[in-house]
Amino acid sequence: MKRALNFNAGPAALPEEVLAKAQSEWLNIRNSGMSVMELSHRSSIFEDIHHSAIHSLKEILQIPSNYEVLFLQGGASLQFSMVPMNLNAPDKYADYVITGSWSEKALKEAQKIGKTRIAGSGKNDNYTHIPKLDELSVSDDASYLHITSNNTIYGTQWHEYPDTKHVPLAADMSSDILSKEIEVDKFGLIYAGAQKNLGPSGVTAVIIRKDLIHESSHLPSMLSYNIHAKNNSLYNTPPTFAIYLLSLVLEWVKDKGGLKEIEAMNTKKAKLIYKAIDESDGFYKGHARSGSRSNMNITFTLPGEAAEKQFLQQAAEAGFTGLNGHRSIGGCRASIYNAVPYSHCEQLFDFMNAFKDTYKKCGTR
């Protein structure tokens, strides 16, 4: 079987080694005579998998001991509600930086729960850039400041994070967690849907500073970080298969040399695709400004809808998948998460150059 050249934005490519490992254990994990999907979440085998995943994530991200790691469900979209429910005090405001569709949705959910303020926005510029740090207006009395670290739809990314001092910084890192080294202690809370760099869809990682976990009698149990922390993310039946695959992905990251090596490879992949855009004499136009460009999601347009349609059709015929831009803005997008091999990016680079040359030569408009 020939593997697709997978540039999907999410669910996205998984490391081939991880898939092969899961396949080898599909019917019989650790000589149990069962698939991981058949194991009790209270069994010793799954308990070991669960603890191994938590330990590996702490090791890779160098998470300090005063942080809790939770594996929850509901995706980042549920976190849009859980964050303000757990962190925003009734007499305070939650500050949000708006850099794209997902931060807009996060703000919308927070507005249903408590008082909010917009600390910065790139909306007037069609989200082509991340606001500069000195442009942000963060209140000293804010419950927290929320950012979306990488914007999959518009192809922008935070390359420097705000120093919020005593105001907790909360970040949706769904699409760039594990793509580079970060200082976790700059954040009060990090959450990430797994389906980009962590594993399959179905599990959400939450990294939260312990002093931000409070007991609250008014919150439903399933929406309380305190309840999940007390029960080690096992208050209800967890997504066992997703956590198992997540644990394999974390082992893969370690085998690759950790985040330093992963980040170097991601930078190399991104430079190659941006080179195809920047050296195309305007044939390809990137959406994001150079200082805000994402190393995970590269968004671009061609000279008109006809050219884009032809590009996507020929790309599909050549074995590429997932190059369509988000339905809300159109255009094209190449998502080059950790599991996308450099060789696939080389093939895309060659395809983009060849398509440009042929299109220009034929004079098709």
Side-chain angles (χ1 to χ4, degrees):
M1 182 192 72
K2 184 178 181 181
R3 295 276 291 163
L5 301 168
N6 187 354
F7 291 89
N8 275 309
L14 284 166
E16 200 164 330
E17 299 96 317
V18 166
L19 296 174
K21 172 70 171 176
Q23 183 184 45
S24 71
E25 298 181 328
W26 187 251
L27 295 177
N28 182 23
I29 185 166
R30 302 188 184 181
N31 295 317
S32 66
M34 293 180 286
S35 167
V36 68
M37 294 184 291
E38 301 174 291
L39 291 175
S40 166
H41 63 293
R42 306 290 182 187
S43 67
S44 60
I45 294 177
F46 182 74
E47 184 177 309
D48 184 59
I49 292 169
H50 185 80
H51 283 270
S52 174
I54 292 173
H55 176 77
S56 292
L57 190 60
K58 287 181 176 180
E59 179 185 350
I60 292 168
L61 286 173
Q62 298 182 38
I63 299 173
S65 61
N66 62 323
Y67 284 76
E68 195 80 45
V69 172
L70 306 174
F71 293 139
L72 306 181
Q73 298 174 65
S77 294
L78 183 57
Q79 295 306 307
F80 296 165
S81 299
M82 284 187 71
V83 171
M85 281 181 170
N86 285 266
L87 299 190
N88 197 10
D91 60 337
K92 289 191 174 184
Y93 285 82
D95 289 351
Y96 279 72
V97 182
I98 309 303
T99 50
S101 299
W102 297 113
S103 53
E104 285 182 353
K105 291 182 178 181
L107 174 63
K108 184 178 179 180
E109 295 305 306
Q111 289 171 335
K112 298 174 183 178
I113 294 159
K115 296 184 289 187
T116 62
R117 289 181 293 225
I118 295 178
S121 176
K123 188 170 185 177
N124 289 338
D125 196 32
N126 195 26
Y127 297 129
T128 59
H129 74 290
I130 298 294
K132 295 179 180 179
L133 299 186
D134 59 9
E135 296 174 348
L136 303 181
S137 177
V138 184
S139 304
D140 290 336
D141 63 344
S143 292
Y144 61 87
L145 173 69
H146 181 281
I147 66 171
T148 304
S149 61
N150 184 74
N151 301 283
T152 57
I153 294 176
Y154 294 95
T156 59
Q157 185 177 27
W158 289 79
H159 296 295
E160 183 181 1
Y161 301 116
D163 180 4
T164 54
K165 297 181 173 62
H166 65 278
V167 175
L169 179 59
D172 175 359
M173 289 194 179
S174 293
S175 53
D176 67 348
I177 194 168
L178 292 192
S179 70
K180 59 181 181 178
E181 294 182 305
I182 60 171
E183 295 179 68
V184 173
D185 59 6
K186 283 189 173 183
F187 299 85
L189 181 148
I190 295 169
Y191 63 91
Q195 65 273 14
K196 319 286 188 179
N197 275 332
L198 279 172
S201 57
V203 62
T204 304
V206 174
I207 303 164
I208 181 170
R209 210 171 63 215
K210 291 179 180 179
D211 65 287
L212 297 176
I213 301 174
H214 304 294
E215 190 164 354
S216 178
S217 58
H218 74 279
L219 280 182
S221 297
M222 284 294 291
L223 299 178
S224 167
Y225 291 136
N226 183 56
I227 292 292
H228 290 295
K230 280 185 174 180
N231 290 275
N232 193 31
S233 303
L234 298 172
Y235 177 74
N236 68 313
T237 305
T240 54
F241 184 66
I243 293 172
Y244 160 69
L245 279 179
L246 183 149
S247 72
L248 296 185
V249 170
L250 295 176
E251 290 300 320
W252 176 83
V253 169
K254 288 191 283 187
D255 289 343
K256 291 294 181 181
L259 293 186
K260 186 174 183 179
E261 295 301 320
I262 291 286
E263 182 175 0
M265 179 52 67
N266 285 333
T267 300
K268 184 179 178 181
K269 292 188 296 185
K271 282 183 176 179
L272 184 65
I273 306 303
Y274 282 122
K275 181 180 179 182
I277 295 171
D278 294 339
E279 296 183 357
S280 69
D281 295 325
F283 184 80
Y284 299 110
K285 293 183 179 179
H287 178 81
R289 294 183 192 174
S290 58
S292 296
R293 282 175 163 179
S294 170
N295 278 358
M296 294 286 97
N297 309 97
I298 300 173
T299 53
F300 58 96
T301 58
L302 282 77
E305 290 185 13
E308 287 178 5
K309 184 177 180 180
Q310 189 174 336
F311 174 86
L312 292 170
Q313 180 181 340
Q314 292 186 17
E317 292 169 355
F320 296 94
T321 186
L323 291 175
N324 302 64
H326 191 271
R327 61 185 181 277
S328 63
I329 65 169
C332 300
R333 171 175 58 180
S335 297
I336 52 173
Y337 301 122
N338 291 355
V340 176
Y342 183 73
S343 62
H344 289 193
C345 294
E346 288 181 309
Q347 291 180 69
L348 179 58
F349 174 82
D350 291 341
F351 175 82
M352 290 175 70
N353 285 332
F355 180 86
K356 174 201 67 179
D357 293 343
T358 301
Y359 195 88
K360 284 184 173 182
K361 185 177 180 180
C362 293
T364 310
R365 294 289 175 190

